[in-house]
Amino acid sequence: PTPWLTEDVSFAEDDKELNNALFPEDFGDRSIRGFVRQFLYNPAYPEFNSLQLFVWSILIGIFMGFYTAFWKILIEACVDFVWDDIPTFLKRIGFFTELGGFFPMTHYMWMCPAFFGGVLSYIFAALPMKIPGQNEWIQNLHSKGVQSADTFWQLFILSTLGMSSGLSLGPELPLILTAGMAGSYLGILSGQSVLQARVLNLVGASSAVGGFFGFPMAGALFVLEVPHRLGLQYFEALNPAIFGSIVACLTNRLIVQNDVTGYYEYPFLTSTLPSSIFWHAIIFGLFGTGIGIGYAKIVLKLKKWVHDIFHYHEGETKKAAKVDETATGTATSALDDEEVGVSIHFSAMETKPLVEKQLDQQKVAKPTNILSWVTSIFHFSIKAEPKRAAVSGVIAGTLVGVIGMFVPHVMFWGEAQLQTLIDKGRTPLPIFGNDDEPNADLIAWGQCLVDRSDAALAEEGFPIACSAIIAIAKILTTGLSVGTGIIGGHFWGPLFVGCIASHFFTDLANLISNSAFGHPAAIATYPCVAVLCTMGACHVVTFRAHTAIMLILTLTISAFDPTGSTDDGNNSGDYSAVFPLLVVSVFVALHVSKDRVIFYNTQRSRGDIMALPEVLCEPGKEGAPMVLNHGNDESNASHGNESDLYSPEEDCKLDDLSALPLQDVEDETLIVEQEVSREEIELEFESKMKEINNQPEPSSVEVPLNDYKTTLNDCPSSVPKTPVVDDKNFANGMSSARLDQLLAVPLEKPTKKNRNSHRRIMSASAAIEKTSGIETTSYSRRRLPSQFRSPGHSRQNSNSSAASRSDAQRFIRLNSYGELKDFQPSLIEQAQERASSLHRRLPSLSKARNRIRSIDSMEKQVS
């Protein structure tokens, strides 16, 4: 509504450039237009201020509360229809027989996932516009800040059907994508900068996750941490995201009328724990790390296998070779279409690829594992990708269903089934019928189901073998499900596997201890600690959201020990005793698994913050850190702003550095040049004089000012005035002026400053290693190894404009001091003051040129 909002705009008499729009509310008038401009959107200043962002967080939270409540009700209705109404109807009409017949209802367990897997995989592959996945959302969040909403409805409908199919596909990824699309659409529609649009994207996703699962703050932290590998970095979105998730959670609870309580009842935990329990937490953290690494690697292998089965590889050799040629030093993955071709420049810590791309696709590799062996048996390809996706989807869905026939615990995404695993089978499995219900035959062939009519068996729970079987089965079903290409999340998958693996660990420890020592193992005394710590450690390996998972697991605690109480009658346990143990185990897993497996290869550090030179120096000492030069030499010279890139005394302080001894360094280490001696100056002078004598003397030679990095007047009198000449102009610069400069060098070196003020050797950081070179005025420049250079920075591609822009981003040395004196406003405030939208003149504002009035007249009109 820009024209309506700008009908009453005015400009002051002295504002000839029409830079500052004035509205009636600026003079105390109140109207509907003024209310909208103040709290929602002002077209003259489109970048949201803190008040407007706060209001939009409330509105997004309210909308997401309704949205998640409706979607949750819809998902539950679809699951009941597919897994209760349909099989019951088919049995009633005679399609399924009784259990003793030739085709009982149990076969529906594989028929349903196979049908949905084939149909949905075909649709996802046949859509003209590809629906993004988790990697695309993360990449777009980092690069553009927004996610296109063109596939919103397709994603909403297809992901809902995928969650109803029985495959291990959950709602968290569709929630992040669809809500992020909504927030991004608001940012695009209102003309926000990337900084603000990214915040709206994150606020939408955080509100949806918080509202759907009832985690108001933990849900927001999860969304903020997922794009990174070591904690959230878009801190400007923290407050609005948390506030939006709180509002969404409250709105959702008011609609669905759910009680405010935890999710699960855990084994008993006493209010006081021994100090040795922290050693147990470390052990559980290491064990959970191993389980999490195995989970992530197997799921990725299965995902790749389902994608590659029957895949037609013609033309992929060239595509892979092109990716390898143009993305040296980047992380790429061949897991599925959403990851093929993704090329992001990571830091050195974040360049490990998930799956090495095999360039020679024409050669059939020898079977090295069971998946390769199965693929080699059915070695043929299907050219039409939708048909290939449908066939692979049917195969994956059938395998998931067959596993689910005998281990029904692993069907669906695991949120509802987790309580059954926590109490080792004492709680009946949800969704499927029990006892005399019509759809009870679905799990008639199921194993590891506890007979609750036997009190002894119900108290003991399923045995240790079932723990191993269920854990392996869940990993297999999750990998097969995500490999179909159907958009769905697996947030609960690592928690599911970690929970059942913890039972295996404690049961095995008790078994060994009883056999060897005749008493249970001390480490298995508190099964609640084992369950929670292993779940958190396993989950953080895949998603890298350590703060969020600690809070989420704490919030899922509804009660301790549902079957009994302690001798003193205390049945509540102590929630505060759990959180420190979770912190220990989760951080152990976070750092142990850091370089061993990366599930989402687009997770990386944010790329829009560069450290100031002051913070790159030692505290309270001078230094010459490297800073990014966004312009090449030609552009800088054309603007005549060389002083913006170099300190006035930068070249003059080189003598301070030359006093320090050289040290041995590696190839990627930057070394300061030695100071030029008088003998070298004399040799240089003699050689240049010979060249000059052999050439006709010009009438006058003038050295351009821009050929020097600094001028004589810029240097203090105590330092020799020896400007450095560019190499390309050195030969032409040998004139009388140049001779005077050389002769101006004194015989004795000046007194050196404190040696501790500078470093002689400074190692190149990971970010600097990705540049083509380092521009310095007095430092030697070494070409970095090719594996550390970005493809866009290649000198061979300098003919293209894109390569020229990339080549301009080089690092230069800049003298600085290790102390901050000027402090910047927040990023949101910087966006409000410096966004490009502030320089955009709206068409409706140009019509207000005839409304240039004095301030007094406008105040008089309002009064």
Side-chain angles (χ1 to χ4, degrees), residues 356-373:
E356 298 292 342
K357 180 176 282 296
Q358 183 179 355
L359 299 183
D360 190 3
Q361 299 282 3
Q362 301 298 332
K363 297 180 180 180
V364 180
K366 295 182 180 181
T368 57
N369 51 48
I370 188 171
L371 294 180
S372 302
W373 180 77

Side-chain angles (χ1 to χ4, degrees), residues 345 628-635 770-772 790-795 797-811:
H345 303 299
L628 190 62
N629 175 16
H630 289 280
N632 54 25
D633 295 337
E634 290 78 4
S635 63
K770 292 163 39 180
T771 62
S772 61
S790 299
H793 294 162
S794 175
R795 294 284 183 181
N797 299 329
S798 59
N799 294 332
S800 63
S801 59
S804 299
R805 289 193 299 270
S806 298
D807 189 59
Q809 294 186 354
R810 295 170 294 184
F811 283 82

Side-chain angles (χ1 to χ4, degrees), residues 155-173:
L155 174 59
F156 177 85
I157 296 173
L158 295 177
S159 62
T160 302
L161 295 175
M163 285 179 274
S164 306
S165 65
L167 297 171
S168 295
L169 301 171
E172 58 280 351
L173 176 56

Side-chain angles (χ1 to χ4, degrees), residues 91 97-99 104-106 109 433 437-445:
K91 183 178 181 180
T97 65
E98 298 294 335
L99 288 178
M105 186 187 290
T106 309
M109 294 287 286
E437 295 183 18
N439 61 341
D441 291 348
L442 288 172
I443 56 175
W445 294 352

Side-chain angles (χ1 to χ4, degrees), residues 43-59:
Y45 309 99
E47 200 75 9
F48 292 155
N49 56 38
S50 56
L51 176 61
Q52 292 169 337
L53 185 59
F54 176 79
V55 174
W56 278 113
S57 299
I58 296 176
L59 297 179

